[in-house]
């Protein structure tokens, strides 16, 4: 007896060969829709893969025509036994395909020619099925037939649409229902991830059953609490010798109680001065070279604090530029099933329209943490320690504000016999610092990032140094 999914693949193959086909299976059948979303071959892919991957759209609002773009990449080995991990990038307005998939945790990374791919040996699909989501509408390949939707995005709408996406996506991929599910992300996803987790927990409670088997979430270099994140940011820049004493004092005076998204003119002016003092460096990774092709400079980077961007086989600070070339290729968009309804003049890694028109952005999500810690979710926060956007000092101040009880004190963790960073465990939360990593931890320290996700999913502590016995 031929398995159902194999039958569908055979049916699609016969239809392609004959040229015409009357479908015996309705496209409402989830496995039939899955096969329509299957990616057969990516342009510029010269290496073989042993896993399947799917991309396409899930409608989240029929009336306005809002549809979110996803890319599911199955685990390399035994995907049926592996958990499902959702990855979200921030901005707000930045694509999880551009960053999470193409330069961080995905298997398909882009060479400098912008046309060919190489396989990331540290892809997180070594340990899980990875789901990337471009959210909200107006980001990446996600779109709306109602143009005003792009001007009306905010935290609440994003969380609501992402929940709707997941509920509908699980109907298309029912084999993942009941599977252990985790949410991960970085930067402004420090809002998205806990807010979506909260929405899921509340939805499950209202339904009196776990519609989504959420087990926990993990965020990196995450915007969490505006006051403490600003406090840590200014201290980090000053202590690293990047800004003057005078600017440090003015930043604390003019920006300490400001929003990271909606800031005042006086705060903006002193941020410009700080940017001038920083010079031509990459604030997302202060010890690696900036992309010389990036003419926007560090001033724009500081004002757009949470826009992530930029390894290839060797570190390449211009990875974001390669993504822009690759994902604008018509043959790439065709392979990924990009909808004809998606019709911007140019695909962008981040949307200025979405970012500049962002609505609600609470000054803190610590209240969400307090609620979710009580719910029993596994919650981790990690931080690359060479990031000057949401630095390690910011995250430490933010965690301190939660007043949690320490269960395992601060200590070094190891990878391949070397210190990979430092960690501390609290009641309900674990903090992990990643040594030598910038804002995008998996970009700069991919091997350490893979160790991080392995430990998180295994529900263990970060590895410690195993001393060899004298015998």
């Amino acid at each position: 007896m031929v398995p159902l999914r194999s039958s569908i693949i055979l049916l699609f193959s016969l239809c392609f060969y004959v040229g015409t086909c009357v479908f015996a299976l309705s496209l409402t059948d989830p496995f039939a829709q899955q096969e329509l979303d299957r990616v057969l071959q990516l342009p510029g892919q010269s290496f073989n893969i042993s896993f399947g991957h799917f991309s396409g759209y899930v409608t989240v609002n029929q009336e306005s025509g809002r549809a979110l773009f996803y890319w599911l990449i199955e685990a390399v080995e035994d995907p049926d036994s592996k958990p499902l991990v959702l990855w979200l990038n921030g901005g707000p307005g930045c694509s999880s395909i551009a960053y999470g998939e193409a330069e961080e945790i995905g298997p398909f990374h882009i060479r400098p020619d912008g046309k060919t791919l190489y396989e990331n040996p540290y892809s997180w699909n070594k340990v899980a099925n990875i789901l990337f989501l471009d959210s909200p509408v107006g980001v990446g390949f996600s779109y709306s037939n109602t143009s005003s939707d792009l001007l009306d995005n905010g935290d609440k709408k994003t969380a609501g649409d992402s929940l709707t996406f997941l509920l509908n996506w699980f109907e298309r991929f029912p084999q993942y229902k009941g599977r252990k599910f985790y949410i991960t992300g970085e930067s402004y996803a420090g809002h998205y991830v806990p807010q979506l987790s909260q929405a899921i927990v509340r939805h499950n409670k209202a339904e009196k059953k776990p519609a989504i088997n959420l087990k926990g979430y993990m965020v990196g270099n995450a915007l969490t609490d505006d006051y403490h994140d600003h406090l840590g940011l200014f201290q980090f820049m000053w202590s690293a010798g990047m800004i003057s004493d005078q600017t440090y004092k003015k930043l604390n005076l003019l920006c300490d109680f400001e929003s990271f998204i909606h800031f005042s003119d006086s705060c903006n002016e002193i941020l410009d001065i700080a940017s001038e003092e920083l010079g031509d460096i990459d604030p997302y990774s202060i010890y690696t070279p900036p992309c010389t092709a990036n003419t926007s400079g560090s001033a724009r980077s500081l004002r757009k604090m949470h826009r992530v961007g930029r390894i290839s086989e060797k570190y390449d600070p211009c990875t974001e530029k390669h993504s822009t070339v690759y994902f604008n290729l018509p043959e790439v968009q065709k392979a990924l099933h990009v909808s004809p309804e998606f019709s911007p003049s140019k695909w962008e890694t981040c949307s200025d329209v979405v970012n500049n028109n962002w609505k609600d952005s609470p000054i803190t999500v610590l209240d969400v943490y307090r609620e979710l810690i009580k719910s029993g979710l596994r919650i981790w926060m990690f931080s690359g320690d060479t990031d000057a956007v949401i630095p390690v000092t910011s995250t430490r101040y933010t965690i301190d504000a939660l007043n949690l009880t320490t269960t395992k004190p601060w200590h070094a963790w190891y990878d391949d016999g070397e210190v990979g960073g430092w960690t501390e465990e609290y009641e309900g939360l674990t903090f992990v610092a990643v040594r030598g990593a910038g804002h995008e931890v998996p970009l700069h320290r991919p091997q350490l990032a893979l160790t991080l996700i392995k430990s998180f999913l295994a529900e263990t502590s970060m590895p410690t140094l195993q001393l060899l016995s004298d015998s």
Side-chain angles (χ1 to χ4, degrees):
M1 181 175 175
V2 181
L4 177 59
R5 293 183 69 180
S6 299
S7 300
I8 296 169
I9 296 171
L10 178 60
L11 176 62
F12 274 81
S13 300
L14 288 173
C15 292
F16 177 80
Y17 179 78
V18 174
T20 60
C21 182
V22 178
F23 288 101
L25 291 171
S26 168
L27 292 184
T28 59
D29 181 283
F31 293 106
Q33 183 59 55
Q34 282 184 35
E35 291 309 320
L36 288 176
D37 288 357
R38 183 181 291 275
V39 180
L40 300 177
Q41 181 78 11
L42 286 172
Q45 177 191 331
S46 59
F47 52 89
N48 294 324
I49 57 175
S50 60
F51 53 87
H53 56 123
F54 307 78
S55 65
Y57 290 89
V58 172
T59 299
V60 296
N61 188 288
Q62 292 283 357
E63 184 178 350
S64 66
R66 292 204 301 275
L68 298 183
F69 182 82
Y70 82 90
W71 192 349
L72 169 69
I73 299 176
E74 292 182 334
V76 173
E77 294 181 356
D78 196 15
D80 291 342
S81 70
K82 298 292 195 303
L84 177 65
V85 174
L86 172 66
W87 174 273
L88 299 171
N89 276 98
C94 293
S95 166
S96 299
I97 305 303
Y99 297 103
E101 197 296 309
E103 65 180 47
E104 294 188 78
I105 70 168
F108 304 108
H109 285 193
I110 304 168
R111 295 184 186 276
D113 60 8
K115 298 178 181 179
T116 56
L117 304 174
Y118 68 94
E119 189 171 9
N120 171 23
Y122 302 105
S123 173
W124 285 11
N125 78 323
K126 303 286 185 185
V127 294
N129 302 283
I130 309 297
L131 178 61
F132 298 94
L133 176 64
D134 275 347
S135 177
V137 291
V139 173
F141 291 125
S142 295
Y143 70 91
S144 175
N145 291 329
T146 305
S147 57
S148 60
D149 274 346
L150 276 62
L151 309 177
D152 193 37
N153 283 310
D155 282 22
K156 290 182 180 178
K157 185 177 176 182
T158 300
D161 278 358
S162 295
L163 174 61
T164 300
F165 164 84
L166 286 173
L167 293 171
N168 292 341
W169 186 88
F170 278 110
E171 293 302 317
R172 186 176 302 180
F173 288 84
Q175 67 267 36
Y176 286 97
K177 286 185 177 181
R179 192 84 61 94
K180 287 184 178 180
F181 177 63
Y182 300 88
I183 309 177
T184 57
E186 67 191 8
S187 199
Y188 197 80
H191 279 211
Y192 295 162
V193 172
Q195 288 168 342
L196 177 55
S197 299
Q198 180 188 53
I200 293 171
V201 168
R202 290 181 174 182
H203 177 82
N204 285 347
K205 187 176 181 180
E207 294 293 315
K208 295 184 171 58
K209 61 179 180 180
I212 299 173
N213 189 21
L214 178 65
K215 292 297 184 180
Y217 68 83
M218 180 171 69
V219 290
N221 292 83
L223 180 68
T224 308
D225 178 88
D226 287 349
Y227 173 75
H228 291 100
D229 287 340
H230 271 133
L231 183 67
L233 168 62
F234 305 148
Q235 181 177 334
F236 181 87
M237 290 193 295
W238 177 78
S239 63
M242 295 188 287
I243 58 173
S244 66
D245 293 354
Q246 182 182 27
T247 297
Y248 174 56
K249 292 175 183 177
K250 286 186 176 180
L251 284 168
N252 281 303
L253 178 66
L254 299 173
C255 297
D256 56 353
F257 286 100
E258 293 277 328
S259 163
F260 266 69
I261 303 302
H262 305 116
F263 41 76
S264 65
D265 290 340
S266 59
C267 176
N268 186 44
E269 288 173 5
I270 192 63
L271 283 173
D272 282 343
I273 293 173
S275 295
E276 288 296 322
E277 292 180 352
L278 260 64
D280 186 19
I281 67 168
D282 181 356
Y284 297 94
S285 176
I286 63 175
Y287 299 120
T288 53
C291 177
T292 55
N294 183 2
T295 58
S296 58
S298 60
R300 182 186 179 213
S301 296
L302 274 179
R303 287 198 301 272
K304 301 295 186 185
M305 286 282 184
H306 315 297
R307 293 230 175 154
V308 295
R310 265 87 29 229
I311 190 165
S312 130
E313 291 100 324
K314 277 180 119 180
Y315 177 64
D316 179 355
C318 297
T319 304
E320 183 179 4
K321 302 294 180 183
H322 313 331
S323 294
T324 301
V325 174
Y326 186 77
F327 290 114
N328 271 294
L329 295 174
E331 59 269 31
V332 171
Q333 295 187 8
K334 182 178 180 181
L336 290 174
H337 315 124
V338 174
S339 171
E341 299 293 332
F342 170 80
S343 56
S345 57
K346 183 180 180 183
W347 177 91
E348 298 176 309
T349 56
C350 296
S351 167
D352 283 334
V353 172
V354 171
N355 185 273
N356 293 335
N357 292 281
W358 198 256
K359 306 303 182 188
D360 60 297
S361 178
I363 62 173
T364 185
V365 293
L366 288 180
D367 55 325
V368 181
Y369 272 78
R370 293 186 181 100
E371 176 184 337
L372 296 180
I373 287 172
K374 291 179 181 177
S375 76
L377 291 183
R378 181 172 178 79
I379 300 173
W380 281 31
M381 300 181 78
F382 65 93
S383 181
D385 62 7
T386 66
D387 174 31
V389 176
I390 306 291
V392 64
T393 44
S394 294
T395 303
R396 295 185 71 180
Y397 275 128
T398 294
I399 293 174
D400 187 60
L402 286 169
N403 295 313
L404 301 173
T405 300
T406 297
T407 58
K408 187 175 289 188
W410 189 269
H411 62 278
W413 62 272
Y414 289 79
D415 183 77
D416 279 353
E418 295 187 0
V419 173
W422 296 266
T423 182
E424 185 165 1
E425 296 179 26
Y426 308 87
E427 284 187 359
L429 187 146
T430 294
F431 171 66
V432 180
V434 183
R435 181 184 174 205
H439 192 68
E440 297 173 82
V441 168
L443 171 65
H444 294 99
R445 290 292 182 267
Q447 181 174 319
L448 299 184
L450 184 58
T451 299
L452 174 72
I453 188 65
K454 284 180 179 178
S455 298
F456 174 69
L457 295 179
E459 301 186 3
T460 63
S461 300
M462 294 298 293
T464 55
L465 184 63
Q466 298 297 317
L467 298 177
L468 297 176
S469 63
D470 293 336
S471 59

